Amino acid sequence: MKKRKNPWMKNRGKGIVMIKILLLFFTTAQILFAGVSASVDTQSVEEGELVTYSLHITGESVKRPEITTICQSDVLSTSSQTNMQIINGAVSKNYTLSYKFAPQKNCKIESFEVEIDGKKERTKEIEISVKAPSQTKDANFMLLLQSDKKELYIGEAFELTLLFKQKNGSDAIDSKFTPPSMDGFWVREESKPQKYQEDGYTVTKVVYTLLPQRVGVQKIGRAKIQIASRDTKIDGWGGWIPTIKWKNHFSNELDLSVKPLPAGVSLVGDFTITISLDKAEVNANEAVDATVIVSGNGNLEDIKSFKPHIPNVAVFDEKIAIEGKKLSQKLTFVAEHDFTIPPFKLTYFDINTKEIKTITTNEIAIKVKNQKPKEELTIKKGEELQEETLTPTSKERSDPVTLFFVFFAGLVVGAALMMLKKLPQLKKAKKSSIKEPKELLAKLMAYKEDAEVKRLIEALEKNIYTNDKAEIDKKVLKEVLKRYKID
């Protein structure tokens, strides 16, 4: 009897063959379908708006590209998504890589290289058109830049006004403000925001005081504010869900023409200068405090210290202080004899008359009471004394022994007298160094470049002119006096 074959075993063999064929087909299909394409959500945007650039990649093994800039703009955020697809029975993996960026001008997105299943594929280039931001008069949100001057000189102060208008009743959940770019300008002051109502809008006003630092046409860039408002989108099930949508709003730009100042002039504006004293009559080594004040509209920041050089007078200057349109500097004078404070001058280019002007204060005479008498030259007296002592009589000239003793005695007496003369001076110097700090301060000023001397000067100034008391290192003081031969 002939044995019959099992039909199940026969079909099983065919099934295994079919599975192998399908696996080969799927593998081949994946290789055939492998590739990359690029797209953007829009090719025309306003400056500052976001563009989403997407890479659509099909393949089994993908080496993702490193993309940090697109169209010379930084990538602001990235995202990725992976899907499985079956097309005509073929299974494939799809990757979507998305990059958000904000192009600043017309540009071309370059071709990127992506490695897929061991092969390198490239995307096509995409043109992006960037338009200047538009702003309608009745928009819900508006930004405006205004300047009180269009032409000005370098260093001339002017006011830049920023206005943000929000229509009453418009929805705004959140906001992010970016001030205008002010390259080439120095910001002296920024006012606090002021709010008021105007023509159905809530207006926020900020005023900047600026000074141009470069000659030529200088640009003030656009200010930007991002407004978050409520929105909705469709979810994966076809339903509407609430979300937040951000939108950029831009101001206008401003071009200002900046002209150079006449040669030899660094100040521009309209100024006045005055000086005030706490007293004009003092005792010897008593301080005279003076304050120089410059008022007006201009580049006060470019004014240098008014500290003058006055022979035999110690002058101390404090740091210049500027508050609004007023500059002040305090000066202190210390002397043993009468002196005169010279006039202080200020030369500038007057923006009203377009002329170079020089303004000045009057000189001021300071009376010093209890002046110390000027010491006579002791060397001359010693020489005269020696000459008198050593003048022999006609009889002594003829006696060599007498002449020798007279000569020797004269030397001893002269040396003793010189030592007696110097001893009070040394004591006086030592006394003045410790017990008369103003006199010591005046003597140390000539060596203030020395770090140790500078610390001693700072300590003396605190002790003399402030309520603070600083300890003076007597050892260091002694070394400094010896080093510079200060008596």
Side-chain angles (χ1 to χ4, degrees):
M1 180 177 168
K2 191 176 181 181
K3 188 177 180 180
R4 294 181 60 185
K5 294 182 178 180
N6 189 336
W8 182 83
M9 293 297 293
K10 183 178 180 180
N11 292 334
R12 180 185 178 189
K14 291 181 180 179
I16 293 173
V17 172
M18 288 299 296
I19 290 173
K20 290 181 178 179
I21 293 173
L22 287 173
L23 287 174
L24 178 63
F25 175 76
F26 291 156
T27 304
T28 305
Q30 286 179 347
I31 296 174
L32 291 174
F33 292 142
V36 61
S37 63
S39 66
V40 291
D41 59 346
T42 178
Q43 285 187 260
S44 179
V45 293
E46 290 187 354
E47 182 182 338
E49 289 185 339
L50 297 180
V51 175
T52 301
Y53 175 70
S54 300
L55 295 179
H56 309 282
I57 305 170
T58 303
E60 183 66 22
S61 176
V62 176
K63 185 177 180 181
R64 298 188 179 190
E66 294 184 2
I67 301 176
T68 57
T69 59
I70 301 176
C71 270
Q72 297 85 47
S73 299
D74 293 336
V75 172
L76 302 177
S77 65
T78 61
S79 62
S80 63
Q81 185 178 0
T82 304
N83 294 317
M84 298 288 292
Q85 283 188 335
I86 301 177
I87 303 176
N88 297 327
V91 180
S92 64
K93 287 184 179 180
N94 292 330
Y95 304 88
T96 301
L97 309 179
S98 299
Y99 307 85
K100 290 185 181 293
F101 68 101
Q104 303 300 311
K105 58 183 178 180
N106 294 340
C107 61
K108 181 184 291 184
I109 300 178
E110 60 268 40
S111 173
F112 291 104
E113 184 179 86
V114 183
E115 187 175 324
I116 308 171
D117 297 333
K119 291 185 178 181
K120 294 181 178 180
E121 305 285 345
R122 297 198 70 89
T123 63
K124 292 183 179 181
E125 296 178 339
I126 301 177
E127 298 277 354
I128 299 295
S129 174
V130 180
K131 300 176 293 184
S134 60
Q135 191 167 238
T136 58
K137 292 183 178 180
D138 58 348
N140 289 336
F141 305 96
M142 290 187 290
L143 272 176
L144 296 172
L145 286 179
Q146 300 173 349
S147 172
D148 63 340
K149 298 177 182 178
K150 298 297 183 183
E151 294 185 357
L152 60 164
Y153 290 89
I154 187 168
E156 181 181 348
F158 71 101
E159 289 187 347
L160 174 70
T161 302
L162 172 67
L163 300 175
F164 172 59
K165 296 184 176 183
Q166 178 177 348
K167 184 177 288 187
N168 295 336
S170 58
D171 182 28
I173 301 174
D174 197 1
S175 64
K176 298 176 183 178
F177 175 70
T178 303
S181 61
M182 303 176 189
D183 295 340
F185 296 89
W186 186 77
V187 182
R188 173 195 286 173
E189 189 178 4
E190 177 183 346
S191 72
K192 294 182 179 180
Q194 302 176 4
K195 284 191 175 183
Y196 57 91
Q197 293 291 323
E198 183 180 74
D199 300 331
Y201 283 87
T202 300
V203 182
T204 303
K205 178 181 178 181
V206 177
V207 178
Y208 301 89
T209 302
L210 306 181
L211 289 85
Q213 303 295 296
R214 295 198 291 257
V215 174
V217 177
Q218 303 298 321
K219 184 182 294 292
I220 297 178
R222 292 185 176 91
K224 180 178 77 172
I225 190 166
Q226 296 173 277
I227 302 294
S229 57
R230 292 183 176 84
D231 197 7
T232 56
K233 69 176 183 180
I234 301 176
D235 62 13
W237 303 95
W240 293 92
I241 58 173
T243 185
I244 295 176
K245 181 180 180 181
W246 287 90
K247 182 174 176 58
N248 295 326
H249 301 269
F250 294 87
S251 72
N252 55 307
E253 293 180 320
L254 289 177
D255 289 334
L256 303 178
S257 178
V258 182
K259 297 177 287 186
L261 290 171
V265 181
S266 60
L267 301 178
V268 57
D270 185 16
F271 304 104
T272 61
I273 185 170
T274 59
I275 182 173
S276 61
L277 302 180
D278 62 341
K279 49 187 170 293
E281 186 174 327
V282 293
N283 293 315
N285 290 321
E286 184 181 349
V288 175
D289 291 328
T291 303
V292 180
I293 297 176
V294 178
S295 301
N297 188 27
N299 51 335
L300 297 171
E301 294 75 15
D302 293 328
I303 296 177
K304 309 300 181 184
S305 174
F306 288 99
K307 180 180 178 180
H309 172 71
I310 306 175
N312 302 318
V313 179
V315 183
F316 309 96
D317 60 330
E318 293 187 2
K319 186 178 180 181
I320 287 178
I322 299 176
E323 185 176 351
K325 298 181 180 181
K326 178 182 176 182
L327 175 149
S328 62
Q329 184 179 29
K330 185 178 178 181
L331 303 170
T332 301
F333 305 86
V334 181
E336 295 183 350
H337 304 280
D338 294 348
F339 65 95
T340 299
I341 299 177
F344 297 108
K345 296 181 181 180
L346 198 67
T347 300
Y348 65 96
F349 182 74
D350 191 313
I351 58 175
N352 297 319
T353 63
K354 302 297 186 291
E355 296 176 342
I356 297 176
K357 289 185 177 180
T358 298
I359 53 178
T360 181
T361 62
N362 296 323
E363 67 177 18
I364 303 174
I366 303 298
K367 177 67 176 175
V368 178
K369 301 181 294 183
N370 303 320
Q371 301 183 32
K372 293 186 178 181
K374 295 184 178 179
E375 297 180 358
E376 298 180 357
L377 294 176
T378 59
I379 296 176
K380 185 176 179 182
K381 290 183 178 180
E383 291 174 349
E384 292 175 356
L385 180 61
Q386 279 188 340
E387 289 176 2
E388 292 177 5
T389 307
L390 295 176
T391 302
T393 63
S394 60
K395 183 179 179 179
E396 289 172 342
R397 287 194 187 98
S398 62
D399 188 349
V401 177
T402 304
L403 182 62
F404 170 77
F405 280 107
V406 171
F407 176 74
F408 181 75
L411 288 177
V412 173
V413 173
L417 289 174
M418 291 295 293
M419 290 298 296
L420 290 173
K421 291 283 186 180
K422 289 185 177 180
L423 185 59
Q425 294 176 3
L426 292 173
K427 291 182 178 179
K428 180 181 178 182
K430 185 176 181 181
K431 181 180 178 182
S432 65
S433 299
I434 303 300
K435 295 186 178 180
E436 297 183 20
K438 291 183 180 179
E439 184 175 345
L440 174 60
L441 180 61
K443 292 179 179 180
L444 289 176
M445 288 302 295
Y447 311 100
K448 62 182 179 180
E449 300 301 326
D450 187 313
E452 290 183 338
V453 175
K454 185 177 180 181
R455 286 193 289 270
L456 289 172
I457 290 174
E458 291 174 351
L460 287 168
E461 287 180 341
K462 282 186 178 180
N463 292 339
I464 297 171
Y465 303 114
T466 69
N467 294 326
D468 298 335
K469 295 301 176 184
E471 184 177 352
I472 297 176
D473 191 328
K474 294 183 179 180
K475 183 179 179 181
V476 174
L477 175 60
K478 184 177 179 181
E479 292 176 354
V480 167
L481 294 176
K482 182 178 178 181
R483 183 188 313 158
Y484 295 107
K485 299 179 181 180
I486 300 175
D487 53 15

